[in-house]
Amino acid sequence: MSRRHEPNDEPIAASTLLEGKVAWLRSRIMKVAFGTGAALAASAFIVLIAVEMIVDWQLELPWGIRLVWFLGSLAMVVYLVNEHVILPLLDAPDTDGTALIVEKHFPTFKSKLISTLQLTRPGGLHGGEASFLVKALVRQTEDEARTVDFEAIVKTDNLRRNTIWLLGCIGVAGILFGIGGSISSALLQRAFLSASVEVPRKTRVAEFTGDLTIGRGDPVTINATASGIIPDEGTLAVSFESGRDQDFKLEKDENAPTYSRKFESVQESFTYVIRLNDGRSKVGKVNVQPRPTVAKLETRQQFPAYTGMGEAKRSLADLSLLSGSKLLLSITANKTIEKGYIQLYGVTNRHALKVSEGDALELRGIIDIPATNLTGFSIHMTDTFGLQSRDEAIYRIDVLPDRIPVVKITYPERREELITQKARMLIAFEALDDFGVASVQLKYQIDGGNTNTTDLVLGKTSDRQVKRRYNWRIGEFKPPVPEGASIEYWIEVKDNNNVTGPGVAASDRYVARVVTEEAKRQDLMNRVGDSLSSITEATTDQETLNRRLGELIRSRAEEEIQP
């Protein structure tokens, strides 16, 4: 009768062989993943730094660009380490996962390897399970494991390739670094953001023109100064905005290490690089912009307030302006303007232009029209690039002065009158002005003494033409004018020009002689006699004309009736 195997809960010792092989395989997987990723990241960093050094040698990168490049290189390294080192290590299989990899690679194990590892762990057996069967499974699995090469499971092709790349990068970089010597050392320091180290050159472009903004059609001269080994000539590499590239020779000054090239009438923008021996400048740019010009100009004349004429639009071809007016300018430019001014001719004044806040193409200006000397104006503008307008048109201005008033005494008719001490003398006058008479005064002197003034009331309005009479009460003078004295009098008027005036005019001077009443009566009788004599002479002349006309008619009639 066969012996019956009873369940045995005695724990079974783990297989040192199997656990050792699985642990070794897991470690190898992780080491290969780490080496593969690390070699790739290191190769990329070496290549990026080497490329930066080469580009820096060619272009002399500024510190800011080198900083961006260095940070970009570090970012690339971090990305590669994360993708090819950290994540693979975090995703590395545990012991059971490694066992499954082995069983997948060697199907002969079926599920014996992972079963052996799990059943030999503490608590791996449960009640009713036979331990001798597990021991037999362990022995069988160990026998198969001894005949299997676990190393073949891990593929190292990527590791070898990345390692070769890394060694190659190190070798090439080392050779180039050795060939470059001090140049390589300086470039490496610059690559690691040294701000004080310059790119070593046999010849350096110490100074050059740099960036410029010029007006279209202007000439431009590109200059450069060399230090170190001084070559006989240089090269100016130009890339035009239209896409055309061209090299030009830079001529050296005979007495200085300076080089220059002049371009006449430049029509398009371009970038350029100056090469002197092995030295080269930074990239410079010549920005060609149209100069600011007046695209549209409108003018309005604002008449002086005293004229009551308001504003009127004026043509640029006819700027005949009344003195004291304001000329309002409305300007539209061909491009955005930063500032501008109006240049006056005939006077030395300048008037600033105001740029519109809402539209930098629109400008406003005001010219005060003086009484004399102003002959014209021109518009000067500066755009946002600092370019100034040129060859500005000069607009002519003809200043029309406000003419002074005209005044004359219309009564009495004679320049000299005889009056008595008690006389009332009638004075009539006419005054005329372009825009209105503001005041009228009667002025007089007695025997050449002080000038006396009497204001003549005109009313509330100032008319362009004034006709008035004034009853001059000479008899009311205190003290009375003595007999034999002479009163010289005249009319003086002023216009209402409160800007460049007022204009003042005076009539001819008249004289009134104070005489006795007898002398006045005699003067009147003489004037009556003169009038009668004039009437008699006129009557005699009329009778003579009538007689001669009758004789002429009779003689013509006799001639017509003769046979």
Side-chain angles (χ1 to χ4, degrees):
M1 186 174 186
S2 62
R3 186 165 61 98
R4 182 179 179 183
H5 299 283
E6 296 295 333
N8 189 1
D9 293 333
E10 180 183 355
I12 301 173
S15 172
T16 305
L17 174 65
L18 295 178
E19 288 188 352
K21 281 184 169 287
V22 171
W24 178 87
L25 178 59
R26 182 172 180 271
S27 175
R28 181 171 176 79
I29 291 173
M30 296 177 68
K31 289 178 180 178
V32 170
F34 177 82
T36 302
L40 179 60
S43 300
F45 186 72
I46 292 173
V47 170
L48 289 172
I49 293 299
V51 172
E52 179 187 355
M53 292 168 64
I54 295 172
V55 174
D56 191 23
W57 166 253
Q58 294 292 324
L59 302 179
E60 296 191 22
L61 300 176
W63 187 87
I65 294 180
R66 286 186 279 129
L67 173 63
V68 173
W69 195 306
F70 185 77
L71 294 177
S73 301
L74 290 181
M76 177 60 71
V77 170
V78 171
Y79 171 77
L80 294 176
V81 169
N82 182 69
E83 291 292 322
H84 297 278
V85 177
I86 296 176
L87 292 181
L89 291 179
L90 293 177
D91 292 339
D94 57 8
T95 301
D96 290 348
T98 306
L100 291 174
I101 292 174
V102 174
E103 290 179 349
K104 182 177 180 180
H105 193 78
F106 297 107
T108 56
F109 278 108
K110 297 183 180 179
S111 62
K112 291 183 287 185
L113 179 58
I114 191 171
S115 298
T116 300
L117 295 175
Q118 291 176 347
L119 292 174
T120 55
R121 293 172 185 160
L125 289 178
H126 302 284
E129 295 178 343
S131 60
F132 76 92
L133 293 177
V134 176
K135 292 178 180 179
L137 177 62
V138 171
R139 288 193 297 271
Q140 183 180 3
T141 305
E142 288 179 344
D143 291 340
E144 291 185 12
R146 290 188 182 94
T147 61
V148 172
D149 183 11
F150 277 38
E151 186 176 352
I153 296 176
V154 182
K155 301 298 182 182
T156 59
D157 295 344
N158 290 339
L159 176 61
R160 286 195 299 270
R161 185 182 68 248
N162 291 354
T163 302
I164 292 172
W165 269 105
L166 177 59
L167 294 176
C169 291
I170 293 174
V172 172
I175 292 172
L176 294 176
F177 191 87
I179 294 174
S182 60
I183 295 177
S184 300
S185 177
L187 291 175
L188 184 61
Q189 293 180 61
R190 288 172 59 83
F192 280 88
L193 305 180
S194 174
S196 60
V197 179
E198 295 184 348
V199 176
R201 305 283 191 192
K202 295 178 181 178
T203 301
R204 295 194 63 82
V205 180
E207 297 179 357
F208 75 110
T209 302
D211 296 339
L212 291 176
T213 298
I214 64 172
R216 179 168 288 117
D218 290 350
V220 64
T221 301
I222 305 299
N223 298 304
T225 302
S227 62
I229 298 176
I230 307 301
D232 294 332
E233 61 183 38
T235 301
L236 177 65
V238 176
S239 296
F240 290 96
E241 194 174 52
S242 60
R244 178 170 56 95
D245 297 334
Q246 190 172 355
D247 289 347
F248 298 91
K249 182 179 178 181
L250 284 174
E251 299 289 347
K252 180 181 177 299
D253 190 295
E254 294 181 357
N255 302 317
T258 57
Y259 305 80
S260 62
R261 177 78 187 197
K262 185 175 183 180
F263 296 91
E264 300 287 352
S265 187
V266 181
Q267 297 297 320
E268 61 176 318
S269 302
F270 62 86
T271 58
Y272 67 92
V273 173
I274 297 171
R275 293 195 292 265
L276 301 176
N277 202 1
D278 65 338
R280 59 180 293 145
S281 70
K282 298 177 182 179
V283 178
K285 182 173 183 180
V286 175
N287 184 24
V288 178
Q289 293 288 329
R291 287 192 176 273
T293 59
V294 176
K296 183 180 179 182
L297 174 59
E298 294 181 348
T299 57
R300 295 186 66 84
Q301 179 181 2
Q302 185 181 81
F303 289 89
Y306 73 85
T307 65
M309 296 181 64
E311 291 186 8
K313 187 174 181 180
R314 300 305 303 263
S315 168
L316 290 172
D318 180 22
L319 293 178
S320 298
L321 308 175
L322 177 66
S323 61
S325 300
K326 294 181 182 293
L327 185 62
L328 311 180
L329 305 182
S330 177
I331 304 164
T332 302
N334 64 327
K335 59 190 308 188
T336 55
I337 300 300
E338 182 177 339
K339 59 183 179 179
Y341 65 90
I342 305 168
Q343 178 64 60
L344 303 183
Y345 296 93
V347 293
T348 58
N349 295 354
R350 284 184 179 181
H351 294 285
L353 288 170
K354 183 178 181 180
V355 181
S356 173
E357 295 181 359
D359 187 356
L361 296 177
E362 300 294 331
L363 300 92
R364 298 288 184 272
I366 300 176
I367 301 176
D368 295 317
I369 307 301
T372 58
N373 297 331
L374 179 62
T375 59
F377 70 94
S378 59
I379 305 298
H380 298 253
M381 298 177 291
T382 302
D383 65 14
T384 52
F385 294 98
L387 291 177
Q388 297 180 345
S389 55
R390 285 186 180 174
D391 302 324
E392 296 87 354
I394 298 177
Y395 303 94
R396 178 176 176 176
I397 292 179
D398 293 318
V399 178
L400 303 178
D402 184 2
R403 291 176 295 184
I404 63 173
V406 177
V407 61
K408 67 177 181 177
I409 295 176
T410 58
Y411 190 85
E413 297 177 351
R414 297 194 300 178
R415 290 292 184 93
E416 184 173 327
E417 288 285 335
L418 300 181
I419 61 173
T420 65
Q421 288 181 315
K422 299 178 180 180
R424 290 186 180 184
M425 186 173 182
L426 180 63
I427 299 176
F429 64 90
E430 292 182 1
L432 179 67
D433 185 71
D434 294 337
F435 301 104
V437 177
S439 66
V440 179
Q441 293 178 327
L442 171 63
K443 294 196 172 187
Y444 61 94
Q445 295 175 337
I446 300 175
D447 285 339
N450 296 330
T451 301
N452 300 286
T453 301
T454 299
D455 292 325
L456 305 184
V457 179
L458 295 178
K460 296 182 179 180
T461 61
S462 58
D463 298 328
R464 295 181 59 190
Q465 186 174 15
V466 175
K467 293 182 179 181
R468 294 287 190 277
R469 294 186 189 185
Y470 178 64
N471 195 9
W472 194 13
R473 301 175 183 271
I474 297 175
E476 297 180 0
F477 282 10
K478 299 296 183 180
V481 181
E483 294 181 353
S486 296
I487 304 175
E488 185 179 34
Y489 64 92
W490 65 94
I491 299 293
E492 184 176 280
V493 298
K494 295 181 180 179
D495 62 18
N496 57 5
N497 183 351
N498 57 0
V499 179
T500 60
V504 180
S507 69
D508 293 336
R509 298 197 175 197
Y510 284 61
V511 176
R513 297 186 183 277
V514 180
V515 296
T516 62
E517 293 183 0
E518 181 64 27
K520 179 60 179 176
R521 283 195 293 271
Q522 184 62 42
D523 177 61
L524 292 175
M525 291 301 295
N526 292 337
R527 293 173 65 177
V528 171
D530 292 340
S531 299
L532 292 175
S533 298
S534 299
I535 293 172
T536 301
E537 291 177 359
T539 302
T540 302
D541 291 341
Q542 184 65 39
E543 291 176 351
T544 302
L545 289 174
N546 289 338
R547 185 176 63 255
R548 289 180 179 178
L549 178 60
E551 293 175 354
L552 179 61
I553 292 173
R554 284 194 298 271
S555 63
R556 290 284 183 91
E558 292 174 355
E559 291 176 356
E560 290 178 358
I561 63 177
Q562 288 181 359

